Amino acid sequence: MKNLKVILASAFLATNFLGILKAQETPIQKLEDKHSYWQISARAGYDFPMYKETFRFIDYKGGFMGGLSVNKYWNWFGVEADVDFINNTPEAVDLPGQYVERTLQNTILDYASFKIQKKEISRTFVGAGPAFKWQTENNKFTSELGLMGGVGFIDGGEILVDGVRQNALNDVITYHSGFDKEVVFSTKAQLRFNYFFNDNWGLNAGAYYMNHYNVAESTKNEILDKTYGTKPATYYYVERGKIDNVYDDKIIMRSDIAGVNEPNQMQKMTLQSVGVFAGLSYRFGPKNPAKVVETKAPEVKSYRLVVTAKDKFSGQVIPNTQVLIKDLQGNIIKTAMTDASGKVYIDEINPNNYAITGSFNEISLDPTSTKTAEFIANGDLNKELIYADRNFILKGRTFQCNSSVPLSGAAVYLENKFDAYKKSTMSDANGDFILQLPPNATFELYAKKENYFSQIEMVNTQNYNRDRNLFVNIEICAQETKCGEGIALDNILYNLDKYNIREDAKPELNKVVRFMEDHPGVNVELGSHTDSRGSDSYNQKLSQNRAQSAVDYITSRGISSARISAKGYGESVLLNKCADGVPCSEQEQQVNRRTEFKVICPK
């Protein structure tokens, strides 16, 4: 990584220094000889190893690469010098969880987990060779092929995988010694494409193939020795064997000690990889100032149209409004959405007569138009689309109760039963939704989604002034119902020693009615709990009566009595320490006085 930082820093300093020198020349200069020049290219990308050696349980992952190229071209032919730094990582793959120990009983060895220790493989390539290029007539695009030979510096790659058994020593599943600062002959073929947005600066992207020959395995066993203690032999590769498609504890290994499988088995490997990259290119030349000729920049005129979506009454801008620009024949020449500031910017438009229309949430805005003479050279022509609907815009968000997780894909309903008004929409991936909201009325807002119990929010538009506000923002939450888990109902209060339903409890019970109407196949239990004050028998009877009273109210709203049951729990399910004889505050006692409903699990 340190080498990579040096390469990238050198490329940055070199290209910026050359850019400063070129900035001293007369503005708007053009190279007379477009084919002969120097070029510096910095790049970063991803390397994919294709190591030919196949080790059971060991594979190699790709990694980051970075590099720098220097090219000198004479027409289509030139030379190229490259420096690259690459990281790859060994990994453990296809590790079986069991082995058969070849004893008389064929004992099964189970591994609870695997312990993996490894070092990354770092590769550095330094090389040079011939380069060939093709370029377009306007000198904007070039393709290059470089064929290089040089040296590679290979280090790292040691990996040890141990199987962990309970109450037993770890077993070596596989091991490879990796490579130790190897210096080998290497080759590289690279294809690069450049796009230059001026005479000097451009972007590049491409791919390469790299090969390192005769890379010897390391004679060091640093991880192995650290884990199991220094051994008299050097081990290059270890794996558990496989007989008749059954893994067993037979060990296969290569080492430099006679009598251990096959002795003196160090291997020299060929390490290959391919990679892709992108980066920045800088070219300069020729050195002869006589070849630099000046050209006069043509006068450029540009025109821009800016369209703003705005509310007629409050003057508020409207984001996410669809805008259409049409010519006199009705052809759509541009479609766009207004940004957070309610604006659409249409650059490089030809002055002409255009019709401009827009819509928000399927409501059309008052259209506008342009005339050719209105456009300003190198300036903005501003036009407005007006939202003249007297309805409010309800911008809402659905989320899961007691969290910030959005509830996507929920059907959201806005309902006024008095006026028989009902509209619906779906929440998007972020839980957001939009609805038209009529003025001077009260609405219920709730969400519907399978297995979710929604809150019901009341929206009274008489509390808003349409001449001041266009948007009404509101959030609504829904709680997932899980089989057999209770959901507490808020504000189900009873008078002292009473069990009849009070008026202030009905809105919360109406939520249960709504849930059961939306989920006709669901049966529920309504449970009532008391605190520990009073006798057990009295609390049990009082809670049963209160639960039954709540059930009676729900069935009076049209829910079948076969779908809902009452259950009094008395003081048997306390949520805190406040049992008999334990001093508690009134607030602590209130926690236990509650009404819950839960979905009854099908038998």
Side-chain angles (χ1 to χ4, degrees), residues 113-175:
S113 62
F114 297 94
K115 180 181 179 183
I116 301 173
Q117 303 177 70
K118 59 188 179 181
K119 296 180 180 179
E120 290 187 343
I121 302 176
S122 65
R123 297 187 284 131
T124 302
F125 171 79
V126 179
F132 310 88
K133 75 175 174 72
W134 173 87
Q135 66 188 71
T136 57
E137 279 297 318
N138 61 8
N139 208 25
K140 291 287 187 181
F141 178 82
T142 65
S143 59
E144 302 172 84
L145 174 64
L147 304 174
M148 287 156 280
V151 294
F153 304 88
I154 319 296
D155 191 41
E158 184 179 6
I159 180 171
L160 171 63
V161 180
D162 289 323
V164 180
R165 288 189 287 155
Q166 295 183 351
N167 303 320
L169 296 176
N170 295 349
D171 295 328
V172 176
I173 302 301
T174 187
Y175 172 77

Side-chain angles (χ1 to χ4, degrees), residues 94-132:
D94 302 329
L95 299 175
Q98 287 186 339
Y99 288 89
V100 177
E101 186 176 22
R102 294 297 179 176
T103 63
L104 292 177
Q105 294 79 20
N106 281 346
T107 304
I108 300 296
L109 304 180
D110 282 307
Y111 295 98
S113 62
F114 297 94
K115 180 181 179 183
I116 301 173
Q117 303 177 70
K118 59 188 179 181
K119 296 180 180 179
E120 290 187 343
I121 302 176
S122 65
R123 297 187 284 131
T124 302
F125 171 79
V126 179
F132 310 88

Side-chain angles (χ1 to χ4, degrees), residues 460-596:
N460 186 353
T461 51
Q462 291 178 338
N463 297 329
Y464 300 91
N465 187 335
R466 181 62 184 85
D467 292 326
R468 295 182 180 178
N469 299 287
L470 170 61
F471 298 103
V472 174
N473 297 302
I474 195 166
E475 292 185 336
I476 184 169
C477 79
Q479 186 171 351
E480 186 176 9
T481 59
K482 297 181 180 179
C483 184
E485 293 186 9
I487 295 178
L489 300 175
D490 298 329
N491 302 319
I492 307 298
L493 304 177
Y494 301 89
N495 293 328
L496 182 64
D497 294 333
K498 302 294 183 181
Y499 53 82
N500 57 295
I501 296 298
R502 294 178 8 177
E503 286 298 318
D504 55 7
K506 291 180 180 180
E508 193 72 11
L509 292 176
N510 289 340
K511 297 178 184 178
V512 180
V513 174
R514 175 72 67 186
F515 174 79
M516 298 189 73
E517 289 175 342
D518 291 342
H519 299 80
V522 170
N523 296 336
V524 304
E525 173 194 287
L526 202 68
S528 180
H529 302 259
T530 69
D531 59 33
S532 62
R533 294 178 293 187
S535 67
D536 291 352
S537 60
Y538 175 80
N539 286 337
Q540 179 63 39
K541 181 179 180 181
L542 179 62
S543 65
Q544 183 65 40
N545 288 337
R546 287 178 171 176
Q548 187 60 50
S549 180
V551 167
D552 291 342
Y553 173 79
I554 291 173
T555 56
S556 73
R557 295 294 305 276
I559 300 302
S560 171
S561 60
R563 295 179 57 203
I564 185 168
S565 60
K567 175 71 173 179
Y569 288 91
E571 58 181 278
S572 63
V573 187
L574 300 177
L575 297 180
N576 55 25
K577 64 180 181 177
C578 299
D580 290 336
V582 177
C584 288
S585 66
E586 179 60 31
Q587 185 177 3
E588 291 174 317
Q589 296 286 5
Q590 178 64 46
V591 171
N592 294 314
R593 298 196 299 272
R594 66 196 187 278
T595 299
E596 298 178 339

Side-chain angles (χ1 to χ4, degrees), residues 290-506:
K291 291 188 179 182
V292 178
V293 294
E294 294 191 7
T295 61
K296 183 178 180 181
E299 183 180 359
V300 177
K301 292 183 179 180
S302 64
Y303 301 88
R304 184 165 75 166
L305 175 62
V306 181
V307 181
T308 304
K310 183 179 291 187
D311 179 39
K312 176 180 179 179
F313 307 104
S314 66
Q316 290 179 276
V317 297
I318 309 177
N320 301 319
T321 299
Q322 186 179 50
V323 176
L324 300 179
I325 312 296
K326 300 179 182 179
D327 61 20
L328 293 180
Q329 288 73 41
N331 301 312
I332 298 175
I333 65 168
K334 184 69 175 181
T335 301
M337 299 289 287
T338 57
D339 59 18
S341 64
K343 295 181 182 295
V344 163
Y345 298 89
I346 303 172
D347 296 310
E348 304 300 331
I349 188 171
N350 293 324
N352 211 331
N353 297 330
Y354 297 111
I356 306 174
T357 61
S359 63
F360 179 81
N361 199 34
E362 300 182 352
I363 301 297
S364 296
L365 280 66
D366 291 347
T368 186
S369 61
T370 69
K371 295 182 178 180
T372 304
E374 293 180 298
F375 284 89
I376 305 169
N378 303 318
D380 295 341
L381 173 58
N382 293 283
K383 292 290 180 176
E384 290 186 350
L385 292 171
I386 301 300
Y387 180 86
D389 195 294
R390 289 299 296 183
N391 288 325
F392 292 92
I393 297 174
L394 177 62
K395 295 180 67 175
R397 176 178 175 268
T398 58
F399 64 98
Q400 299 185 32
C401 295
N402 304 315
S403 76
S404 60
V405 178
L407 187 65
S408 61
V412 181
Y413 293 89
L414 182 70
E415 184 174 350
N416 181 331
K417 294 182 179 178
F418 181 79
D419 294 331
Y421 178 92
K422 188 173 184 178
K423 296 290 184 181
S424 66
T425 188
M426 299 293 292
S427 62
D428 63 18
N430 298 317
D432 296 328
F433 63 90
I434 294 177
L435 284 167
Q436 300 297 120
L437 183 62
N440 303 317
T442 301
F443 301 88
E444 288 185 354
L445 182 71
Y446 63 95
K448 178 181 176 181
K449 188 172 182 178
E450 188 71 21
N451 298 326
Y452 277 87
F453 175 66
S454 172
Q455 299 297 313
I456 298 178
E457 298 292 338
M458 305 302 297
V459 185
N460 186 353
T461 51
Q462 291 178 338
N463 297 329
Y464 300 91
N465 187 335
R466 181 62 184 85
D467 292 326
R468 295 182 180 178
N469 299 287
L470 170 61
F471 298 103
V472 174
N473 297 302
I474 195 166
E475 292 185 336
I476 184 169
C477 79
Q479 186 171 351
E480 186 176 9
T481 59
K482 297 181 180 179
C483 184
E485 293 186 9
I487 295 178
L489 300 175
D490 298 329
N491 302 319
I492 307 298
L493 304 177
Y494 301 89
N495 293 328
L496 182 64
D497 294 333
K498 302 294 183 181
Y499 53 82
N500 57 295
I501 296 298
R502 294 178 8 177
E503 286 298 318
D504 55 7
K506 291 180 180 180

Side-chain angles (χ1 to χ4, degrees), residues 31-37 39 73-77 132-144 194 196 283:
L31 296 180
E32 188 177 82
D33 186 351
K34 299 179 179 180
H35 298 279
S36 177
Y37 54 80
Q39 179 176 301
Y73 283 110
W74 301 273
N75 208 326
W76 58 270
F77 176 77
F132 310 88
K133 75 175 174 72
W134 173 87
Q135 66 188 71
T136 57
E137 279 297 318
N138 61 8
N139 208 25
K140 291 287 187 181
F141 178 82
T142 65
S143 59
E144 302 172 84
N194 300 279
F196 290 90
R283 62 185 178 186

